[in-house]
Amino acid sequence: MDDIVLIREALQAREAAYAPYSKFKVGAALLGKSGTIYHGCNIENAAYGPSNCAERTAFFKAVSEGEREFCAIAIIGGYDGQIDGYAFPCGVCRQVMMEFCHPAEFMIITAESEQDYKKYTLEQLLPEGFGPFNL
Ligand code: THU
């Protein structure tokens, strides 16, 4: 799958972001090994703590649908009308990725646009991570 396709899907997923408090809207598109793309957006809450990131929304949707193996995720975030930086997954989301993804193989794409993006392995963003293989 082309990176650009996944980025386009993440941009589309961002449309559903519910971010009335931070106003920072994030979309994610997660590619499962089955070939299915799962979409996620951030969903905030008046009590702040129960808010969920776009990446985890996508992962939890996928796992709840029975998919447990993944190839890549594209992430795009920013304030309304101006995506002028790269949104990197928070530490909690990186740990959720660690549960279901091979650290040296799973690719994380953070995009400013379809043309401008950076690509990392999970291992690069979560070195020496703790995962299922440690137990
Ligand atoms: N957020 C995400 O959804 N993903 C990221 O990669 C970074 C942060 C959300 C959480 C919160 O709703 C808003 O962006 C501001 O932190």
Side-chain angles (χ1 to χ4, degrees):
M1 161 116 19
D2 282 346
D3 296 344
I4 196 165
V5 173
L6 214 52
I7 293 167
R8 203 172 286 152
E9 296 286 331
L11 198 56
Q12 186 63 40
R14 185 174 172 271
E15 291 297 310
Y18 177 73
Y21 307 107
S22 74
K23 316 259 190 241
F24 191 84
K25 295 183 175 178
V26 187
L30 174 63
L31 176 63
K33 286 198 176 168
S34 69
T36 303
I37 295 175
Y38 300 89
H39 302 92
C41 61
N42 55 332
I43 305 168
E44 297 185 347
N45 188 280
Y48 290 17
S51 299
N52 207 48
C53 291
E55 297 90 323
R56 269 176 292 150
T57 302
F59 266 91
F60 295 157
K61 282 174 69 179
V63 174
S64 69
E65 296 294 326
E67 182 109 37
R68 290 190 182 171
E69 293 185 89
F70 303 98
C71 304
I73 191 168
I75 306 157
I76 190 155
Y79 293 102
D80 260 342
Q82 46 167 88
I83 295 172
D84 56 4
Y86 298 99
F88 281 87
C90 77
V92 173
C93 288
R94 292 178 202 202
Q95 186 62 35
V96 167
M97 292 173 192
M98 189 71 193
E99 188 66 28
F100 295 103
C101 307
H102 192 298
E105 290 171 10
F106 183 70
M107 300 307 304
I108 299 167
I109 298 165
T110 176
E112 269 194 336
S113 68
E114 287 176 13
Q115 293 75 36
D116 302 309
Y117 63 90
K118 298 179 181 193
K119 201 171 173 181
Y120 305 86
T121 60
L122 174 58
E123 195 172 48
Q124 285 177 294
L125 297 188
L126 188 64
E128 308 290 356
F130 188 86
F133 294 111
N134 297 109
L135 294 175

